[in-house]
Amino acid sequence: MSPATAWTIPEVRAALDARKISARELVKEFYARIDQRNPELNAYLALSPERAYAQADKIDAAIASGDALPPLAGVPLAVKDVISTRGIPTTCGSRILEGYRPPYDATVVTRLEHSGAIVLGKTNCDEFAMGSSNENSAYGPVRNPVAAGRVPGGSSGGSGAAVAAGLAVIALGTDTGGSIRQPGSFCGIPAMMPSYGRVSRYGLIAFASSLDRIGPFARTVRDAATVMSTLAGRDPLDSTSSAAPVPDYASALGRSLTGLRIGIPDDYFADGLDPEVRRKVEAGIGLLEKLGCRRVSIRMPNTDYAVAAYYIIATAEASSNLARYDGVRYGARVPGRTLIEMYQKTRGRKFGAEVKRRIVLGTYVLSAGYYDAYYLKGQKVRSLIARDFREAFEKVDAIITPLLLSPVQIGRTYLKPLEMYLADIYTVTGSLAGVPGISVPCGKTSEGLPVGLQIYGPAFGEQRVLQLAHAFEHAGGAEL
């Protein structure tokens, strides 16, 4: 059999259908690998063996009875620790929710389990998904399985590392300003952020409600498309989810790219981009041209304002969303002589430095004297950035960009938060615009570190994004 690191969804299905392995044996194999590697990587914060083996036994019983299997039958799944899972610790990487066990499952978890996936456990992340390096977790940083001295990207670094290291076949992450795509790039695997509203957020513990999205990590683009087909669609429990029709994402993967127009924004190739990253991305664009795409230069004139607008809007929403963690209703409580003192001690001792920084910033921009000067202006800039994308997609079918300025070492961004914020320049634009994007491997640096190519599509254009990413992957983009 293939080693754990090589399992894909079709391989799992073929092995189960041929009775070469049972779902229970597969789960046991993955838990053995987690026991071996997780102490080094710190990718998982909690495991759920009882739930996993119960689901595996259902799959094995269906196989024994000759029943038709759902599309993700037996596929081991890791879930980011900001997504609610009934009875399984869900801490958001924070001490303030230490020991919290949700009484319900997020819609995405319900849908994946209904499709046969097996939840192995919860993955480490930056506290409340705030960070680009996974160094802000209260439970320690995640190590990149490609290079232990490097970060795996954040905030969904645990999910990215779990899939890259073979500790899960697929994983769920969340993306607010790049938190799926960046770990995908750092760990060298496909990772997709869907359009805002395409996937239900019910059960997602919010950071910034108008930006947060749930999406998949996988070992192949085809696997990501399969997971997206399960996740996408209207959810009556989430009023922000869209009723837009969900196409068969896998059906477009083999289509020719001939004649597709790919937009290359000059604004994304300005000073500051690592030379090696630039060369790899340029080579990736060249490969897409060889596959039949037509390169079109475009302008995204409001890109320079994206980071500032993002951190105004995201922190404002975080300030509001995190006000509920006060030691009264759930999570940790630090006693005080008065109610106000209890609030202060609980939040002061249990929130980490980055969360406090963003709460303070968000509260400031929402305050009476600065609301118009900062928050309202940030929303206006967001509208301009969304307009840049709409106008670009009138001329092109997809937009190709770098994903990260440069690979990052453990400890570097933790001590320089402003540097971490600025590193989001290529990802926050798509987040503000609400469009889908994917990171697909695009070669490695001279140090052997993965580089990601980013593909943006128009709103609800996931099918086109996956089509391009699959063709790029199939043509050897990861080996550039």
Side-chain angles (χ1 to χ4, degrees):
M1 291 303 302
S2 302
T5 52
W7 283 109
T8 62
I9 294 174
E11 284 184 343
V12 170
R13 184 59 179 269
L16 292 176
D17 287 342
R19 311 289 179 94
K20 292 181 178 180
I21 194 170
S22 68
R24 175 171 273 268
E25 289 169 337
L26 187 61
V27 170
K28 184 177 180 181
E29 175 185 332
F30 272 85
Y31 275 136
R33 189 168 180 82
I34 291 168
D35 287 343
Q36 178 187 26
R37 295 215 62 191
N38 198 58
E40 166 202 353
L41 298 177
N42 199 29
Y44 280 92
L45 291 179
L47 300 177
S48 52
E50 289 186 10
R51 181 166 176 164
Y53 284 119
Q55 176 79 336
D57 289 343
K58 290 180 183 178
I59 300 298
D60 288 337
I63 293 171
S65 301
D67 298 338
L69 295 180
L72 298 176
V75 175
L77 163 71
V79 179
K80 185 178 179 179
D81 199 35
V82 297
I83 299 172
S84 295
T85 43
R86 178 175 43 82
I88 304 174
T90 303
T91 69
C92 296
S94 177
R95 295 292 181 189
I96 206 163
L97 279 177
E98 194 166 15
Y100 173 62
R101 295 173 182 261
Y104 66 98
D105 284 324
T107 294
V108 289
V109 174
T110 300
R111 288 183 176 180
L112 288 173
E113 283 196 319
H114 183 73
S115 292
I118 298 174
V119 177
L120 297 178
K122 306 301 288 294
T123 54
N124 202 351
C125 58
D126 285 301
E127 186 177 6
F128 283 97
M130 297 182 190
S132 303
S133 65
N134 220 142
E135 295 172 283
N136 293 324
S137 170
Y139 304 98
V142 177
R143 300 281 173 171
N144 191 326
V146 178
R150 301 280 176 159
V151 300
S155 61
S156 308
S159 290
V163 173
L167 308 187
V169 172
I170 57 174
L172 289 179
T174 64
D175 197 309
T176 306
S179 293
I180 290 174
R181 293 160 288 159
Q182 289 181 352
S185 176
F186 277 9
C187 294
I189 55 174
M192 182 161 200
M193 173 191 70
S195 304
Y196 186 81
R198 176 57 94 185
V199 174
S200 171
R201 292 185 301 111
Y202 177 76
L204 169 60
I205 298 174
F207 161 17
S209 302
S210 74
L211 295 162
D212 295 341
R213 306 181 219 176
I214 300 174
F217 292 87
R219 296 199 63 81
T220 67
V221 174
R222 182 172 292 278
D223 280 5
T226 302
V227 176
M228 276 299 304
S229 293
T230 298
L231 297 178
R234 170 71 179 162
D235 177 16
L237 298 174
D238 176 10
S239 62
T240 65
S241 65
S242 172
V246 179
D248 179 359
Y249 294 122
S251 67
L253 297 186
R255 294 178 187 170
S256 170
L257 303 187
T258 301
L260 288 183
R261 301 160 299 170
I262 53 172
I264 313 301
D266 298 332
D267 317 80
Y268 284 55
F269 289 83
D271 294 340
L273 181 61
D274 182 270
E276 280 196 285
V277 173
R278 181 191 297 272
R279 285 195 295 271
K280 292 298 179 181
V281 173
E282 288 286 1
I285 294 169
L287 178 58
L288 287 172
E289 289 183 286
K290 290 179 182 177
L291 293 172
C293 294
R294 181 162 60 88
R295 177 174 182 156
V296 179
S297 292
I298 58 174
R299 288 294 316 280
M300 310 285 278
N302 293 292
T303 297
D304 288 346
Y305 312 114
V307 170
Y310 170 81
Y311 278 99
I312 287 172
I313 294 168
T315 58
E317 294 184 14
S319 172
S320 176
N321 281 323
L322 271 62
R324 71 193 71 179
Y325 304 106
D326 53 13
V328 175
R329 285 158 289 188
Y330 39 70
R333 175 184 295 180
V334 179
R337 290 170 298 177
T338 65
L339 183 64
I340 295 299
E341 186 176 293
M342 186 268 286
Y343 289 162
Q344 292 171 336
K345 286 185 175 181
T346 298
R347 292 168 67 83
R349 295 182 189 178
K350 298 300 182 178
F351 278 142
E354 183 61 30
V355 171
K356 292 177 184 176
R357 184 180 296 118
R358 298 195 190 198
I359 288 173
V360 169
L361 179 57
T363 303
Y364 178 80
V365 302
L366 287 176
S367 60
Y370 299 99
Y371 180 91
D372 288 345
Y374 293 103
Y375 183 72
L376 184 60
K377 188 168 290 185
Q379 291 288 16
K380 290 180 178 179
V381 172
R382 180 182 192 169
S383 297
L384 294 176
I385 291 170
R387 187 181 69 184
D388 286 349
F389 276 87
R390 288 195 303 271
E391 291 178 350
F393 286 124
E394 292 174 0
K395 305 172 185 175
V396 299
D397 300 295
I399 296 172
I400 311 299
T401 79
L403 209 137
L404 293 162
L405 290 169
S406 64
V408 183
Q409 293 179 329
I410 291 282
R412 178 178 164 194
T413 54
Y414 184 80
L415 298 175
K416 299 179 180 179
L418 182 58
E419 183 178 337
M420 181 173 68
Y421 299 164
L422 293 174
D424 295 341
I425 182 62
Y426 300 129
T427 54
V428 296
T429 51
S431 299
L432 291 167
V435 300
I438 194 169
S439 170
V440 63
C442 181
K444 295 182 178 181
T445 69
S446 57
E447 296 180 76
L449 303 173
V451 173
L453 180 82
Q454 182 168 223
I455 304 173
Y456 280 129
F460 302 106
E462 287 85 1
Q463 193 171 44
R464 177 58 50 79
V465 170
L466 288 162
Q467 176 193 1
L468 281 158
H470 174 73
F472 183 82
E473 175 187 72
H474 192 68
E479 307 303 322
L480 288 172

